[in-house]
Amino acid sequence: MLWSLLAGVSAPALAFQDRDWQLVPAATTHWVEFTQGSELSKLVAGYRSGGFESAGGQWVGFDKWYRPKMVDTRLTWMTQLSPEFGVLWGASTGERAEKYTIAPSLKLGFVYQIKAGPRSHLSIRATSVIGGRLQERACTADYGEIGGVQQVHCRLAATELAPDQTLKYLINALPPDRHQAQIRYTYIF
């Protein structure tokens, strides 16, 4: 019943039975999510098209600074413990480029489904993501005789802000979807 709510690949999990030491099915695990590119990945992907002109007249593009070798990838499974209840668990790879890092993360949660009528059911799903923080790194810029060599927010290096004032705009954010809860009523007609 619970599996009908989530789609994926099925594989039985095995456990030992104490008395006879035989392998018996304990629960069923289903693959329920595969995503590439978290919300934070999409945020930094938008910076790739930007850039600025240096004091020497050269174009400095952000593409190489904000292009990861591998996009943050999440896999999630559901281990069905009863016809009504399942545990959600998964992990993400994280993401790294020259000027930012998205830390790997773990996803934990549950889903509970009950029959609400002959042709309907009610489900409750809650998940939390642990980790996955996006941290942007500063650049070292040479402002010549005006300001010398200083740490600066890379994307704001050519603005009118003082270099030390740009550092407070470096991104240091947790995933916006780190806590989710969903209640769903389904009626089949």
Side-chain angles (χ1 to χ4, degrees):
M1 181 176 173
L2 182 58
W3 172 238
S4 66
L5 177 67
L6 302 167
V9 177
S10 174
L14 299 175
F16 287 102
Q17 191 178 40
D18 289 341
R19 284 179 268 159
D20 301 332
W21 292 94
Q22 296 174 351
L23 291 175
V24 295
T28 305
T29 298
H30 309 278
W31 177 28
V32 296
E33 177 188 32
F34 173 80
T35 56
Q36 285 190 298
S38 63
E39 290 299 315
L40 295 175
S41 288
K42 293 172 188 168
L43 173 69
V44 293
Y47 301 147
R48 292 183 201 142
S49 62
F52 61 87
E53 193 172 308
S54 71
Q58 295 176 317
W59 177 253
V60 178
F62 297 153
D63 185 62
K64 74 173 192 137
W65 291 346
Y66 290 91
R67 181 167 303 281
K69 293 184 190 313
M70 185 174 86
V71 175
D72 191 22
T73 302
R74 174 176 306 285
L75 291 167
T76 305
W77 292 268
M78 179 196 64
T79 299
Q80 188 170 345
L81 301 177
S82 74
E84 298 84 22
F85 183 76
V87 175
L88 296 164
W89 56 277
S92 77
T93 61
E95 185 173 305
R96 179 178 290 276
E98 188 174 337
K99 294 299 174 189
Y100 75 93
T101 300
I102 297 175
S105 66
L106 296 174
K107 184 175 192 175
L108 301 170
F110 71 90
V111 61
Y112 181 74
Q113 178 177 292
I114 58 171
K115 193 167 180 75
R119 295 172 27 201
S120 63
H121 60 269
L122 178 70
S123 64
I124 300 168
R125 176 181 171 152
T127 58
S128 286
V129 174
I130 302 164
R133 182 181 292 275
L134 165 62
Q135 291 184 303
E136 194 173 19
R137 289 187 282 284
C139 291
T140 302
D142 187 352
Y143 289 93
E145 294 178 17
I146 298 172
V149 176
Q150 295 187 46
Q151 290 289 99
V152 64
H153 185 305
C154 306
R155 294 181 290 114
L156 301 176
T159 64
E160 294 179 8
L161 288 172
D164 63 332
Q165 292 298 309
T166 65
L167 296 175
K168 64 184 173 186
Y169 296 104
L170 289 169
I171 299 171
N172 183 8
L174 288 168
D177 62 346
R178 71 184 180 273
H179 303 296
Q180 289 186 332
Q182 177 184 47
I183 299 174
R184 182 186 302 183
Y185 177 78
T186 305
Y187 181 79
I188 301 167
F189 53 97

